[in-house]
Amino acid sequence: MVSFDVIAEAGETRRGQLQINDRTLETPHLFPVVNFYGGGNEPALFGGGIHRTVKEFMVNHPPTTGGTDYSDLFGGVMTSISSLTDYGIREKKLEEYLDNEIREWGKFSDYDGMIFADSGGYKILKQGGELEGEDFTKDITQDKALDMQLDLGPDIVVNLDHPIHPDDEFEERIEKMEKTAVNARQLAKRRDEVDGACYLTVHGYYEAMLERSFDAIENELDKPIPEVFDGIALGSLVPRKDNVEVLIEAVSDCRLEMQQRGYNDLPLHVFGISGNAMPLLVAVGADTFDSASYLHQAINGKYCVNLFETVPVEEADFHACDCRICNDGLHRDRMRNRLDDLYQKDILGSVAAHNLAIQQRELRRFRQLIAEADEDQIAAYLEEAVKDQKGFRKFAYKLINERIKPYFDDDGETSYA
Amino acid sequence: MNESSHTSTTMERQAMHKTPKVNEVNEFIEIASDFEDPLEVIREALSNSYDAEATWVEIEIKQDDEGRNTLIIEDDGHGMDEQDLESFFDLGNSNKHDAIGYKGHGTKIYYKSDEIRVESVKDGNHVESVMEQPWETLNNHELPTYSVDTEETDETSGTRIEVHGFRAGQGFDPEQLTYNKIEHYIKWKTIGGSTAWHFDDDFHEFDIEVTLSPQIDNTRKPIETTNKLEFPDENLHPDGEFVAERMCKHFPPRELTVTLDDGRELTIEVVGMVGGKEARNELPTYGKHSAQFGIWLAKDHIKVERYNDAIGADNEFFHFFFVANCQSLELSANREKIRNKSGDVYQAITNELERFMTKVCQEEWYRDYIARRKLEDKKRSVQSQESSLQDRLVKTKEQGGLSPSNPAEVIAALERYSANGSPETVEIADFRMDEEVNAIVNTDDGYKNAALQAKLSDFFEDETPLTHIDRFICWKVGDRDALTKIERASYLGDPIRFDFSNNEVTYGEEDKKTIPVLELVDKM
């Protein structure tokens, strides 16, 4: 059973509840990207390094967490079939991985969050449509991708897509959109095999492009989209992730397109974006996100001060942070490298958990504001968030003026300071 | 060291305090000379009258036939008594604390004259005071004196200051003055251009009149204005095809509050407008407009200097006229500069102002206005395109059709030639405007590298090597004399021959190469 209920709205911003079988997720929500199969065996949670530490936070492994349960940071996670071979495994190992669903592995048996199994279209397309291991390559078709996604025991699956690129020629783009649409049809055929939600990928940076993407899919399907799919996932934005104006336009136009086609009740997921752009994208109607940036930042020794700023972890002021990780002496000591026998993974694992906590905290605040359905507060929140971000604030102010509440009313009266 | 010197050292160690001395005469000279801009006299006069709560002030500047200047400043303020007169003539003895002219320097500019005469009525007392030859006396290293006569009166309060023989040249040259310049100055640099009335309910308004004698400026009537700087009328959505110039929007007064790290609170009072050129021209500006528009930082609601960085690089400052007043700004003695620029106060003010201006720039009307301007510019360029097209049409008719002047037009001629049954196939397969061998043509003998030229002779002017050229295609041969000259001299070191009876160019000594030439002009 899948349902998505919008429980509060403020302008185009909305708060929702995504229910899949017996799991519920409050939106807007960020799915942190987790690689469940980082090489190695189950006792080591498949792989060492920071990936392992993150999974230990996820399943509440006391020696790592210090006994405090941080698993709510991972209320829903994103993983991809392409990540199965991230560590160059042999085919035999791949089969072993796929033999058991994630929750059937002992270490993950208590994990109660949602698992969003991505098809890994971007990476697979880059590898010429193949999944490459150490001693094998596999052609990945829609059917094979779905088989593998289902083997993970997912709550959400998505069709194998062919992401577009800003530099694509028109013809190339059309070809990719058509291939994505054919895959969507194939997933639709096997809808009944999925005991969870099926998401549909669409691609485009602005309305005309998105219109074409939706049209291509509708032409392939013999049923209306909402009868087959439970959510829309907007892809191809990662190459434009530093251009917040493009992101806002893409998400906003996608929402508009969904409205016009009558799919407004479906949740909108934005692939691969998190951090500083999130509040602005929520404000134009994005419901969920996924990103590995919390992890990548940590790997690079960066500690998030807020959504916009990072500092080298050695320079971080943990006492200025109100997150639970920074309020925990054990993690402060780890991040400061004050304990004996610390490995990088111990130091950076805590940093990654902190970085994620910062992003989740912002979304939690945002959810509370939306629940109050007060546009003034949302505008004030956005304004406060971008106050010192020169590059961002003009987009934020534009968005507030156009979509939420103008700073200068037409009658000459000011709305708020 | 002997005993006696020891004793005297002990005695000298007794505490000794000295008071720094002021050379009063030099100070007066210095300060009177310190005002470099002649218009500062007007600023001082207006500030003093405003501080005296006058409802009107009249300033008259006269010049007699011998070039002697007289300033007369009269107002209906609360007047001066004997003590106030002391402040007027003394140095650094102002009794004003929170007013604009609190330093007590301003009136000293009048010392550069032959006579200062002050008449004032305050609380039923009439005071009359005269200082003779102040400038000459100071230059003789003496302090000038002034007389004071007091008597009771039933006149209403007010002050009249006459300054005779005010020095021209060094600090004040009435001949440089014009009404336009003064009006601009009043509105931009003095209390006469105040934006306080937007914020203060008890705003004290006063009328200002400035008269120049006809010898100085006889071009227009005296200036009559107030101490309010007013924006042009709003014109939010005018009708018409080209209206962006007239568009204007007011951004109403707003108080921005900033808290500094040490807990101090700053208030910034911002008010302003955005508008097109016509609207902005209604502002009392004179001379170089680019120096007037943008974002002004102000104190006492009088503009000090601009901070156009607040607008951001995406926007051009001249659309804006905003005044941001903050009493925490500290000014230099002549009010020309902000003194506390390196401090956190200035930083906080400018940061907040940048945020505010981003809001203005992301406001829907503003964005519409900018879009409209762009559109109208395009429309204007279409109009000029139209007239240039008409010119071209006339010229084309005159020459009776296509007459290529560039390679692209040669392609058009070639197409026409092919379409009209040319004996051989020559089709453009690839064309790159900027390359030396700019075309590949598909012919009956396969693909050939070709050089397309309006005039063949131009090709040789550029001394392009012939190594990779299989064909020449030109509209006409061009300057045959120039070609003959090349033929006689050689081309890039090798012999060349232009044979136009056979339409070919032969080039080279041992590996002689023949390049066919297709001249289109006679084939059309």
Side-chain angles (χ1 to χ4, degrees), chain A residues 78-357:
Chain A
M78 161 76 79
T79 193
S80 160
I81 59 166
S82 62
S83 71
L84 288 165
T85 57
D86 272 355
Y87 290 84
I89 52 165
R90 293 172 176 279
E91 191 164 16
K92 198 161 165 277
K93 191 75 190 172
L94 176 72
E95 283 161 14
E96 189 192 324
Y97 283 162
L98 295 175
D99 260 356
N100 290 306
E101 294 183 358
I102 291 170
R103 288 193 193 88
E104 285 168 3
W105 298 93
K107 296 277 184 189
F108 297 120
S109 59
D110 286 338
Y111 175 64
D112 198 31
M114 256 183 216
I115 298 174
F116 189 145
D118 184 18
S119 59
Y122 177 68
K123 191 172 167 192
I124 288 168
L125 186 74
K126 253 175 60 177
Q127 294 171 353
E130 288 178 340
L131 195 61
E132 287 174 14
E134 206 171 292
D135 60 349
F136 69 94
T137 55
K138 274 184 192 302
D139 276 342
I140 300 296
T141 59
Q142 171 58 49
D143 278 334
K144 275 190 194 158
L146 181 62
D147 289 342
M148 291 167 100
Q149 284 166 296
L150 292 177
D151 285 343
L152 305 180
D155 299 288
I156 306 173
V157 295
V158 61
N159 59 304
L160 177 67
D161 60 337
H162 291 256
I164 61 172
H165 190 272
D167 297 339
D168 285 349
E169 293 286 340
F170 176 71
E171 291 77 11
E172 201 177 349
R173 201 163 70 220
I174 304 298
E175 201 185 317
K176 286 178 175 180
M177 284 180 176
E178 280 166 2
K179 283 182 179 169
T180 300
V182 169
N183 287 349
R185 184 187 64 195
Q186 194 55 26
L187 175 60
K189 276 189 191 165
R190 297 178 59 187
R191 174 68 185 85
D192 293 344
E193 292 175 45
V194 182
D195 180 23
C198 275
Y199 273 46
L200 168 71
T201 56
V202 294
H203 301 270
Y205 303 116
Y206 48 83
E207 204 181 343
M209 234 190 253
L210 285 155
E211 207 176 275
R212 197 174 285 283
S213 179
F214 274 106
D215 282 347
I217 293 159
E218 284 183 345
N219 288 342
E220 282 291 333
L221 294 179
D222 45 18
K223 280 185 190 167
I225 287 174
E227 285 182 26
V228 191
F229 292 101
D230 308 293
I232 301 291
L234 175 59
S236 306
L237 297 184
V238 175
R240 311 300 305 269
K241 71 179 166 46
D242 295 326
N243 189 332
V244 66
E245 192 174 19
V246 170
L247 297 182
I248 291 174
E249 189 178 7
V251 171
S252 169
D253 285 3
C254 186
R255 189 87 253 170
L256 194 71
E257 203 54 37
M258 288 167 68
Q259 262 165 22
Q260 284 166 0
R261 290 171 190 253
Y263 321 147
N264 205 30
D265 295 339
L266 297 183
L268 172 60
H269 180 83
V270 181
F271 274 128
I273 302 292
S274 68
N276 45 25
M278 258 183 340
L280 302 181
L281 300 186
V282 169
V284 292
D287 299 300
T288 58
F289 304 88
D290 69 88
S291 168
S293 68
Y294 73 104
L295 199 58
H296 293 149
Q297 284 165 335
I299 290 170
N300 293 321
K302 288 179 181 171
Y303 169 97
C304 289
V305 180
N306 52 44
L307 285 187
F308 296 91
E309 289 164 272
T310 60
V311 293
V313 62
E314 310 83 59
E315 293 169 20
D317 176 6
F318 305 133
H319 292 288
C321 179
D322 62 2
C323 89
R324 283 180 291 155
I325 306 286
C326 293
N327 273 300
D328 187 325
L330 171 72
H331 296 297
R332 283 202 301 271
D333 285 345
R334 280 199 186 138
M335 292 191 281
R336 275 277 176 267
N337 195 9
R338 278 203 203 106
L339 304 178
D340 288 340
D341 303 328
L342 276 186
Y343 293 104
Q344 274 303 89
K345 74 178 177 67
D346 301 318
I347 301 168
L348 300 181
S350 294
V351 177
H354 155 82
N355 290 348
L356 180 58

Side-chain angles (χ1 to χ4, degrees), chain B residues 280 294 308 311-320 366 370 373:
Chain B
R280 296 194 311 267
N308 286 350
I311 308 166
D314 313 350
N315 300 286
E316 290 160 310
F317 70 88
F318 51 77
H319 301 293
F320 303 84
Y366 171 74
I370 293 296
R373 274 179 62 94

Side-chain angles (χ1 to χ4, degrees), chain B residues 4-29:
Chain B
S4 63
S5 72
H6 180 257
T7 314
S8 81
T9 311
T10 313
M11 284 171 68
E12 276 169 15
R13 275 194 191 145
Q14 299 289 322
M16 212 170 79
H17 292 280
K18 286 195 161 195
T19 308
K21 287 190 183 113
V22 178
N23 182 322
E24 292 159 330
V25 171
N26 284 350
E27 270 312 284
F28 272 103
I29 292 177

Side-chain angles (χ1 to χ4, degrees), chain A residues 383 387-388 390 393-395 397-399 401-402 406-410 412-417, chain B residues 234 236-237 249-255 314 351 354-356 358-360 362-365 367:
Chain A
E383 188 182 345
K387 196 169 92 177
D388 297 316
K390 273 192 187 180
R393 71 182 174 216
K394 68 177 181 188
F395 301 115
Y397 292 164
K398 181 180 170 199
L399 199 151
N401 276 327
E402 287 177 3
Y407 286 103
F408 307 98
D409 285 347
D410 256 358
E413 291 299 312
T414 56
S415 52
Y416 60 94
Chain B
E234 274 203 324
L236 293 176
H237 306 288
K249 180 178 167 84
H250 296 176
F251 287 79
R254 194 174 270 204
E255 284 189 7
D314 313 350
N351 283 348
E354 284 177 25
R355 287 182 204 116
F356 178 79
T358 314
K359 290 178 193 172
V360 171
Q362 297 305 328
E363 200 264 338
E364 223 169 335
W365 181 91
R367 293 154 52 80

Side-chain angles (χ1 to χ4, degrees), chain B residues 66-85:
Chain B
E66 280 93 59
R68 278 176 306 203
N69 307 304
T70 301
L71 310 179
I72 302 168
I73 299 145
E74 198 171 349
D75 68 34
D76 69 342
H78 53 47
M80 291 191 269
D81 54 20
E82 231 182 292
Q83 201 191 337
D84 298 326
L85 260 184

